[in-house]
Amino acid sequence: MALAQESPILLLDEPTTFLDISYQVSLLDLFADLNREAGRTVVAVLHDINHAARYASHLIVMHEGDIVAQGPPADVITAPLLDQVFGIDATIIEDPLNDGPLVITAHRGHSAPVTTLERTHSA
C-alpha cells in the first residue's frame, strides 16, 4: 500500500523475513531504487547484517534497547561490535561488489572463519 500511495518515507520492519534469497535481493533492490531514483527515505529493520551493510548508507546498531553504534556501514561493522552485540566471532572483509564490509562468521569451536568446505565422500 505504501508503494502504491507513493509515500515519501517507508518504514519497514524485517521486510525480507521468510523470503527466498532471490526475493530478498529483488525487494532490497526495489527499495534502493526508490531511494536513489524517487528520493524516498527508506528505514528498515534488517537482521541480516550483510544485507544491511550492502544496502544501507547509514546503520544504527542497537543492543538491549540502546544505540551502541551508528554511521556508514564501513565505520560501524567491526569484529568487536559483532562480538559485543551478537556474541559472535567474525572476520570483516571488503565486499567485492560494493567495497563495503562483508561479515564472515566463525562456527562454534573455531576461532577463525572457515573459508572452504571439504566434501566427504563415502568409500
Side-chain angles (χ1 to χ4, degrees):
M1 182 184 281
L3 294 177
Q5 294 176 344
E6 297 184 7
S7 301
I9 300 173
L10 296 174
L11 302 176
L12 308 167
D13 186 13
E14 299 185 51
T16 58
T17 300
F18 303 117
L19 296 178
D20 289 339
I21 188 70
S22 63
Y23 292 109
Q24 291 177 27
V25 171
S26 293
L27 197 56
L28 291 168
D29 283 343
L30 171 64
F31 298 144
D33 290 345
L34 289 171
N35 174 256
R36 185 176 47 257
E37 297 169 10
R40 294 191 192 181
T41 299
V42 179
V43 178
V45 174
L46 296 176
H47 288 271
D48 184 315
I49 195 79
N50 285 318
H51 280 336
R54 181 167 287 162
Y55 285 94
S57 59
H58 187 89
L59 295 177
I60 297 174
V61 180
M62 298 184 71
H63 182 62
E64 297 179 354
D66 295 321
I67 294 174
V68 295
Q70 63 178 312
D75 295 343
V76 171
I77 297 176
T78 65
L81 178 87
L82 295 174
D83 182 39
Q84 172 193 357
V85 173
F86 301 108
I88 61 171
D89 183 20
T91 297
I92 313 302
I93 63 172
E94 186 175 288
D95 185 331
L97 297 180
N98 72 353
D99 299 325
L102 181 65
V103 177
I104 312 268
T105 58
H107 63 80
R108 294 180 198 258
H110 292 281
S111 60
V114 174
T115 57
T116 60
L117 296 176
E118 295 182 24
R119 294 183 184 211
T120 305
H121 299 284
S122 300

